[in-house]
């Protein structure tokens, strides 16, 4: 049974106003995000699928995966997508000391900044202590959370349920979480093309996240 809701409740957004949960707009715009790559077996498929719909997205990359697959990381940038920091070791903030957490973020940041300037950050699992978050915000990071979770990584939900999670909850300005990871591949490969087709037919566009300083 899922404890984390598919749609982030308004009360949670109000409790943590310094985090970015969605991007309010009157335009028909959706913000797709992909966590945990780059992954050879799935990231290129994701890029190719996005390209078919002229869709841009934001990829929250794990530092160790950037080091392992620098060519795929460069392909993400070359396709015009935004990059975000997802720590080097996919750390769970609630179980990590502040300085260790910050150092892990900075290790990934040094890899990102070899190719792209970005201060977007998403905590793995959405779990981050207030002191960790406050220090990152003071350093200029924008902490990007989400409005809608696809639960694509959850092997207990069906392809159809993954798709329904997104279709039933997304609105203008929603930030949606997918994963370009092996664990999520089956659900992602089913749901992503259908999400792109559904919202394209409704006149929506898919943009990467760019937050002004």
């Amino acid at each position: 049974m899922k404890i984390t809701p598919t749609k982030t409740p308004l009360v949670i957004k109000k409790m943590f106003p310094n985090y970015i949960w969605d991007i309010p707009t009157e335009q028909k715009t959706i913000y797709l995000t992909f966590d945990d790559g780059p992954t050879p077996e799935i990231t290129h498929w994701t890029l190719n699928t996005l390209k078919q719909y002229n869709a841009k997205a934001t990829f929250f990359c794990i530092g160790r995966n950037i080091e392992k697959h620098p060519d795929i990381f460069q392909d993400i940038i070359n396709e015009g997508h935004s990059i975000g920091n997802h720590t080097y070791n996919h750390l769970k903030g609630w179980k990590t000391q502040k300085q260790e957490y910050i150092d892990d973020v900075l290790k990934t940041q040094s890899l990102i900044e070899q190719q792209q300037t970005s201060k977007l950050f998403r905590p793995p699992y959405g779990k981050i202590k207030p002191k960790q978050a406050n220090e990152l915000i003071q350093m200029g990071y924008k902490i990007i959370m989400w409005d809608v979770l696809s639960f694509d990584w959850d092997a207990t939900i069906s392809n159809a349920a993954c798709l329904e999670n997104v279709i039933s909850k997304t609105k203008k300005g929603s930030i949606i979480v997918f994963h370009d990871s092996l664990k999520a591949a089956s659900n992602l490969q089913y749901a992503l093309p259908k999400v792109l087709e559904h919202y394209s037919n409704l006149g929506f566009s898919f943009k990467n996240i760019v937050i002004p300083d």
Side-chain angles (χ1 to χ4, degrees):
M1 183 173 123
K2 297 199 304 269
I3 297 175
T4 305
T6 301
K7 178 86 169 179
T8 303
L10 184 59
V11 64
I12 298 296
K13 296 179 181 180
K14 288 185 174 181
M15 283 174 62
F16 300 98
N18 290 334
Y19 304 167
I20 296 168
W21 299 93
D22 51 29
I23 300 177
T25 178
E26 291 304 313
Q27 305 298 315
K28 286 187 169 183
T29 304
I30 293 170
Y31 298 89
L32 297 175
T33 66
F34 298 89
D35 291 2
D36 294 358
T39 308
E41 296 84 353
I42 194 66
T43 302
H44 276 141
W45 176 89
T46 302
L47 292 173
N48 290 335
T49 303
L50 292 170
K51 194 171 186 177
Q52 291 173 31
Y53 291 87
N54 194 31
K56 299 303 179 188
T58 304
F59 287 76
F60 288 91
C61 297
I62 296 173
R64 64 174 184 249
N65 287 341
I66 295 174
E67 280 194 329
K68 289 178 186 174
H69 311 292
D71 54 332
I72 306 175
F73 179 67
Q74 186 61 55
D75 289 340
I76 296 170
I77 294 170
N78 290 346
E79 291 290 334
H81 303 291
S82 291
I83 296 295
N85 189 321
H86 202 46
T87 76
Y88 186 87
N89 288 299
H90 204 258
L91 295 181
K92 189 172 288 186
W94 293 357
K95 295 185 176 181
T96 310
Q97 294 298 315
K98 186 183 79 167
Q99 196 56 51
E100 179 185 353
Y101 194 83
I102 298 300
D103 289 346
D104 206 75
V105 172
L106 294 177
K107 187 174 182 180
T108 298
Q109 193 66 27
S110 68
L111 297 170
I112 291 172
E113 290 187 349
Q114 292 175 25
Q115 304 296 336
Q116 187 181 91
T117 300
S118 172
K119 281 293 189 76
L120 305 180
F121 176 75
R122 173 173 287 158
Y125 314 101
K127 295 179 178 179
I128 185 169
K129 296 174 185 175
K131 288 183 178 180
Q132 295 164 342
N134 290 340
E135 181 153 341
L136 289 173
I137 290 169
Q138 289 175 9
M139 295 167 67
Y141 287 90
K142 310 295 184 182
I143 297 180
I144 311 296
M145 302 300 266
W146 57 79
D147 183 44
V148 178
L149 282 174
S150 69
F151 283 91
D152 54 349
W153 74 90
D154 187 344
T156 68
I157 73 165
S158 66
N159 293 162
C162 176
L163 174 63
E164 181 63 18
N165 285 339
V166 178
I167 296 295
S168 65
K169 303 298 184 184
T170 297
K171 61 179 180 58
K172 295 175 182 176
S174 285
I175 297 173
I176 302 168
V177 178
F178 284 109
H179 293 74
D180 55 328
S181 67
L182 287 176
K183 186 162 60 173
S186 175
N187 283 335
L188 177 67
Q189 289 177 312
Y190 177 86
L192 181 60
K194 292 176 172 57
V195 167
L196 289 164
E197 182 175 7
H198 175 80
Y199 285 103
S200 292
N201 289 340
L202 293 175
F204 279 78
S205 61
F206 303 89
K207 295 185 180 179
N208 51 319
I209 298 172
V210 179
I211 306 294
D213 293 334

